[in-house]
Amino acid sequence: MDKALKIHITGTVQGVGFRPFVYRLAQRYQLRGWVLNGADGVHIQVEGAALDAFVQDLQSPPPAAQVHSLTVSPCAVEGFADFRIRSSQSQTSPTVHISPDLALCANCLAELFDPHDSRYHYPYINCTDCGPRYSIIEGLPYDRPLTSMKDWTLCAECAAEYHDPSDRRFHAQPVACARCGPHYFLQQGEEKILEDAIAIAARLLRQGHILAIKGLGGYHLACDARNPVAVQKLRERKFRKEKPFALMVADVAKARALVHFSPEEEHVLSSVARPIVLLAKKVELEHVAPQQYDYGVMLPYTPLHHLLFAADAPDTLVMTSANRSSEPICYRDDEAMTQLSALADAFLIGERPIVRRVDDSVARATPFGISILRRARGYAPSAVTNLPTQQPILALGADLKNSITLVVDGNAFVSQHLGDLPQYAVQQAFKETIHDLTRMYGVDIAEVTVVHDMHPDYVSSQLALELPAKKHVAVQHHHAHVASVLAERQAWHKKVLAFAFDGTGYGTDGAVWGGEVFVGSIATGFARVAHLLEAKLVGGDAAARYPVQAAVGFLAAHERDMSAAPFHFPERYQQATRLLANNLQVFRTTSMGRLFDTVAALLGFTEGISYEGQAAIQLETLARRARHAPVAPFPFVDNRYDYRPLLEYLLEARRQGVDTASLALAFHQGLARAIAESAVQLCAIHQLDTVVLSGGVFQNRLLLELVHGLCAELGLDMWVNQQVPCNDGGISLGQAALGCFHGSAA
Ligand code: ZN
Ligand code: ZN
Ligand code: FE
């Protein structure tokens, strides 16, 4: 007995092979009817006998699809003769989600190395389950003429696959083959090499050369990670002293020889997003990630990467974003050729243009699950949550690790990581991305609520005010951190106790905040209930580059000559002490990040840092080497975390010759205990059961592990960021959520 159903599916379901998938399912169950891409998602009408099995199988869609909702309703049998893919209704609606770029799928990988396949060794092989999306889209609807593949005309064979609803390449917009599609070539000086470009590139890498390699969302600089001379040469050319390089490893087996990973970590490592995953080192590769506990490791994700390894490139490559130090990643061929000419010995260049830069993402496992630390390729620009609003909102994030969030029909689309806004080139990328996302989703800036940080001197705040928006809303930095965690869970009204610990953010009292505890919800806003005991900060944000300078204010209560053994603080400390005495360039701070710097300085990190967060990272690495596990005192009194007994303890222990690793662990344990014990007290007072942790300090996995252990004992529910970074890369999502509820206040 035939029945009929109407089915409506929303989410990332277009441009990801969803209609062919539905078509094949309908064939398998001998159902009749149709499927089409509508303005609001995919619509299906089916009739036949095996409807339950069909609906059941719809729940396991192609790897790139993300189903947000699936609604099924019965309808009348109309007596269709067959099952068809109907031509689409308007696809320009904002609810059409742009898919992120996807790693090469298993089917295409098999074809890539099958000598009998027509795309054997073709570096641009792809299908609806894999390949580029966001990085090649010029506009919506997602259709070949609006992608960077528009200049290549399909050959008859590719066209047949493209138009065959039962084919894996049905409407795969970037489909191509060696006959009709783009190619890779090697540029070495004036010489352009077309034949065997990949094999020659692999040989150059084996010989210790540095190559600029065009990937999905930009260029990488690559060299043999096991060749210390090559890695050191890359550091010198990039002016990159110590900041770790990411690695690309040929396969999972090779990764296992290099780093430790759990099944959960292996799962994210080989997921379609293929992020860089931070994994504990097994072996030390010289100059790759000095003083780090982890390597950032990724697996090959484009056909080109697989071909390079198959052509005998070294099995472990440094693969770092190609740019001049701290500029955004190069993605245009001409800019790469000029900007990287002094950095790379040769260029492996693919002809398919990259429409927008998308860096590699970074993820890691925590006791709370996988967390994304840099959200870009493979994730952006997916919607991470649904806000209860129909008003468009544009949230501009913070100045460091900037990302923006555009809310359309409630969908919160978080952009790729853009970089640090004080850099001029990043400001350009920031403006381009605002223009790009609003244009693609058909949003008129004049209708938008623009949300920005409260900091009056932020570049993003100033640019926000230049936008001719409907209204502007300023949000406090740490409120946004906390809201980002709640927004991921769509917990708009949930009242929580929230810890926002980071390096710096403009406080509502004008001080430099960063060790803040709040009570509240997104809907009601947040009240500050506790914080780090205030200290003086000499030189403001500049102090972040010199741990001993940050230490001056925190150590003010402890009269000691810090230039003597065992501390050996350099002259900068004395200079900053004089500034403090004369009250010059002195700010008030509650920054937990600067307390980490102070502790790092006391434990031997007395030089300037060469990348953000370095002192805290090295403190964590040091703590992991500890053989003893003391707990430093860090009392919570009158709603203040009093660092003075903590620092007194460390000063004294150092003079008694206690090893610095044990003291680094003592600090972590003291802080974890202070968080857990104060959380219990404050939850009891405010009648709360859920604790939120956000802010860059919580990138520290050791701290998270310790807090997780204590809070499990104490029976508290803990929420952390997972989909957006807990660092400032997640700020724009929190701003968007607060802008949604408090937009009328401005
Ligand atoms: Zn594929
Ligand atoms: Zn072709
Ligand atoms: Fe922050």
Side-chain angles (χ1 to χ4, degrees), residues 41 162 216 398 447 649:
Y162 181 87
L216 214 43
E447 296 298 311
Y649 167 90

Side-chain angles (χ1 to χ4, degrees), residues 105 108 126-127 129-130 168:
C105 75
C108 287
N126 66 81
C127 73
D129 293 338
C130 73
R168 217 171 81 241

Side-chain angles (χ1 to χ4, degrees), residues 662-712:
S662 298
L663 294 179
L665 181 56
F667 165 64
H668 280 81
Q669 299 215 95
L671 176 57
R673 195 155 290 189
I675 292 170
E677 288 174 2
S678 61
V680 170
Q681 274 183 38
L682 292 167
C683 279
I685 292 168
H686 297 278
Q687 299 184 318
L688 302 168
D689 56 12
T690 303
V691 178
V692 164
L693 308 176
S694 191
V697 163
F698 294 107
Q699 293 174 103
N700 185 316
R701 182 158 52 185
L702 175 60
L703 180 64
L704 276 184
E705 284 166 5
L706 294 170
V707 172
H708 180 260
L710 288 168
C711 287

Side-chain angles (χ1 to χ4, degrees), residues 452-462 474-477 504-506 541:
H452 62 90
D453 198 280
M454 194 175 264
H455 199 316
D457 300 332
Y458 262 7
V459 175
S460 54
S461 304
Q462 288 163 4
V475 165
Q476 200 280 323
H477 185 94
T504 176
Y506 188 82
D541 287 350

Side-chain angles (χ1 to χ4, degrees), residues 535-538 551-557 573-587:
K536 293 283 195 285
L537 186 65
V538 179
V552 168
F554 286 93
L555 291 173
Y573 182 79
Q574 291 308 323
Q575 291 164 359
T577 304
R578 285 192 289 276
L579 287 174
L580 182 64
N582 295 318
N583 205 24
L584 289 168
Q585 294 175 53
V586 175
F587 301 80

Side-chain angles (χ1 to χ4, degrees), residues 119 153-159 161 175-181:
R119 294 186 184 83
T153 308
L154 294 175
C155 69
E157 202 176 303
C158 285
E161 290 171 290
V175 73
C177 72
R179 285 180 307 278
C180 67

